[in-house]
Amino acid sequence: MYITPKGDYLMKKSRYSETQITKMLKEVEGDRTARAVCRKYGIAEGTYCTWKSNYGGMEMADLKWRDL
């Protein structure tokens, strides 16, 4: 977390968008292993597991409606 000059707390912005995250998850559903995808994008396997639980069954159309 970051503290602004006014004293407010801000969360760090994610490096990857939801669209990018779902594309990474789709790579694993294809022919790649989770470990290889994590190594390619520089993420921890724990982060991958968290993303999978949050974005696991989503398609691109689901992400568009999620923002509303």
Side-chain angles (χ1 to χ4, degrees), residues 16-30:
Y16 298 106
S17 68
E18 290 180 336
T19 306
Q20 291 172 322
I21 292 170
T22 53
K23 286 181 182 179
M24 288 180 214
L25 295 175
K26 295 274 185 215
E27 283 187 36
V28 175
E29 290 175 4

Side-chain angles (χ1 to χ4, degrees), residues 1-2 8 15-17 19 21 25 28 34 38-39 43 45 48 50-51 53 57 62 66:
M1 294 202 328
Y2 298 103
D8 299 327
R15 181 183 301 185
Y16 298 106
S17 68
T19 306
I21 292 170
L25 295 175
V28 175
C38 290
R39 197 174 325 128
I43 59 171
E45 290 184 40
Y48 169 79
T50 302
W51 287 350
S53 68
D62 297 334
R66 186 174 181 198

Side-chain angles (χ1 to χ4, degrees), residues 28-41:
V28 175
E29 290 175 4
D31 58 345
R32 302 193 69 182
T33 63
R35 181 169 285 172
V37 171
C38 290
R39 197 174 325 128
K40 177 181 175 183
Y41 293 104

Side-chain angles (χ1 to χ4, degrees), residues 1-12:
M1 294 202 328
Y2 298 103
I3 301 176
T4 64
K6 292 182 180 180
D8 299 327
Y9 291 95
L10 298 175
M11 296 289 292
K12 182 180 176 188

